[in-house]
Amino acid sequence: MEEFSVVTGISRPTISKYFNDPSSVRHSTRERIEAAIIRYGYRPNLFAINQNRKFTKNIGIIVPHIVDPFYAEIVRHIELRCAEAGYWAIVLGSHGDPEREANAIEMLYSLRIAGAIIAPLGDSSAPDRIRQLASDIPTVIFDNHMNGEEIFVGTDNFQSMGLMVDYLCRSGEPPCFLDMPAVNTNARERREAYVRAMEGQGLDPFVIPVETTEWHFEELGYRTGLKLLPSRDLPWNTVLCANDRLAIGLIAAAFERGTVVGRGSPSALRVAGHDDHPMARFTAPGLTTVAQDYVSIAENSVTTLFDMIEEGRRPVDPVKRVEGRLILRASA
């Protein structure tokens, strides 16, 4: 910008003022600057400009897996809202690795972010480090509650799982529950929600346990299905999976074992999930599930964060739970 000022003969403060708000300089000066931009091919370093401000417009986002469709959809909505409000979203993935998550947090400090939106890994996270960030910088936690004083936005697992258990019991046999690895509070809440809902129906819950902490849910559902389906050693021909990715793997295993999935035949296996994964409607048959409200989770996270940054206002209720919606397809 200093060099551009020299070659154009326009003062650096005026040029800086133009790039912050073109309408803030006189029309004739604006025309001179824009003509010089074309002539010299000048492009300002917006990152450097942002870092030089007293308050940056950088918003840091950390998610466990950027390629996971749930996180990808949330991040997409957050990025759009940030852009509309004049903020720059910087997305970092922890890749299921606690050390990478800790490094991502350090990176946010170095970027002088105005605020952060984080989905922690869960039990393997360093909660003290995340809470320290939240005390230093406006921060909203989403998806995985850390059971502290943090500001949180996420799905009401007890409402959503209860909704699904009620539907499955009304429409056929009660569901067994294919658990997910106990990697975070979502895993524990969904299992507990299933147990409560079954007991509320006067039924004994039946949990199919898992013995891994991996995030490869499709593979886990597939392997579990290959073991379970030949013997069908289950009290009911209905399986509610803790998430859709498990259910997608289970349906693949059923196809391989020649087990019919869906409604109608008494011998068919009914399969249901949770989340409304973008691929859930394309399984064969389409997956009955509970949809998480991606837009509401993203919108609440961003709105809460902007209020904290711009108004210095902490929400009266730090925890926002969003209800799920039942999506009926042919699998159950």
Side-chain angles (χ1 to χ4, degrees), residues 151-178:
I151 296 165
F152 173 77
V153 179
T155 295
D156 184 342
N157 287 310
F158 289 91
Q159 179 269 341
S160 58
M161 293 299 289
L163 193 67
M164 180 59 80
V165 170
D166 177 70
Y167 164 72
L168 293 173
C169 289
R170 285 188 291 105
S171 59
E173 289 186 324
C176 309
F177 183 72
L178 178 54

Side-chain angles (χ1 to χ4, degrees), residues 9-327:
I10 302 170
S11 72
R12 190 185 185 289
T14 300
I15 293 172
S16 180
K17 190 176 180 183
Y18 167 83
F19 281 113
N20 281 318
D21 180 8
S23 65
S24 65
V25 300
R26 287 184 301 178
H27 180 72
S28 59
T29 303
R30 186 164 70 248
E31 287 185 335
R32 286 179 61 200
I33 292 173
E34 290 170 353
I37 287 172
I38 295 171
R39 179 181 178 186
Y40 295 106
Y42 176 68
R43 295 292 182 273
N45 186 329
L46 295 179
F47 183 76
I49 292 170
N50 199 21
Q51 290 294 86
N52 199 41
R53 291 173 174 152
K54 183 177 179 181
F55 299 105
T56 75
K57 302 290 276 186
N58 300 332
I59 299 297
I61 305 169
I62 301 177
V63 294
H65 294 279
I66 294 174
V67 296
D68 183 293
F70 169 75
Y71 294 119
E73 189 67 9
I74 295 291
V75 166
R76 184 176 76 84
H77 286 291
I78 291 174
E79 282 187 310
L80 290 173
R81 283 285 283 110
C82 285
E84 290 169 1
Y87 286 88
W88 184 4
I90 301 171
V91 183
L92 303 172
S94 54
H95 303 279
D97 183 346
E99 185 175 347
R100 288 180 182 272
E101 183 180 72
N103 291 340
I105 291 171
E106 292 306 314
M107 178 66 76
L108 295 188
Y109 275 106
S110 70
L111 293 171
R112 294 184 60 239
I113 58 170
I117 301 176
I118 300 177
L121 287 176
D123 293 355
S124 60
S125 293
D128 291 344
R129 197 71 194 91
I130 295 174
R131 290 183 181 120
Q132 182 62 53
L133 176 70
S135 70
D136 295 338
I137 299 166
T139 300
V140 174
I141 304 297
F142 80 95
D143 184 47
N144 174 37
H145 199 291
M146 297 173 61
N147 294 320
E149 298 299 320
E150 67 270 10
I151 296 165
F152 173 77
V153 179
T155 295
D156 184 342
N157 287 310
F158 289 91
Q159 179 269 341
S160 58
M161 293 299 289
L163 193 67
M164 180 59 80
V165 170
D166 177 70
Y167 164 72
L168 293 173
C169 289
R170 285 188 291 105
S171 59
E173 289 186 324
C176 309
F177 183 72
L178 178 54
D179 207 358
M180 64 187 283
V183 292
N184 56 30
T185 52
N186 277 328
R188 290 187 287 276
E189 283 185 358
R190 291 181 189 179
R191 184 190 315 112
E192 184 181 346
Y194 162 76
V195 170
R196 280 194 201 177
M198 289 290 283
E199 291 175 346
Q201 298 277 347
L203 298 165
D204 292 329
F206 187 91
V207 176
I208 304 166
V210 293
E211 298 178 355
T212 179
T213 57
E214 297 177 355
W215 284 71
H216 305 300
F217 299 129
E218 293 90 352
E219 178 68 23
L220 178 58
Y222 174 74
R223 291 200 311 261
T224 302
L226 292 181
K227 292 177 182 177
L228 282 177
L229 294 175
S231 63
R232 294 289 282 271
D233 189 21
L234 299 171
W236 308 294
N237 287 326
T238 300
V239 178
L240 168 57
C241 300
N243 63 44
D244 286 351
R245 293 175 59 189
L246 285 166
I248 289 169
L250 180 60
I251 290 174
F255 175 79
E256 188 168 313
R257 293 297 193 192
T259 300
V260 176
V261 174
R263 300 190 296 260
S265 171
S267 62
L269 179 72
R270 294 197 304 162
V271 177
H274 188 289
D275 292 344
D276 201 23
H277 185 293
M279 295 303 296
R281 60 190 287 245
F282 299 113
T283 57
L287 181 62
T288 288
T289 185
V290 177
Q292 296 201 66
D293 191 337
Y294 297 88
V295 174
S296 183
I297 291 172
E299 182 67 28
N300 275 282
S301 297
V302 172
T303 300
T304 299
L305 185 65
F306 287 171
D307 283 346
M308 294 168 67
I309 294 171
E310 298 170 1
E311 308 295 334
R313 185 170 63 222
R314 182 183 173 88
V316 176
D317 184 356
V319 176
K320 172 67 175 178
R321 295 282 187 175
V322 178
E323 290 191 347
R325 181 169 53 92
L326 191 63
I327 304 293

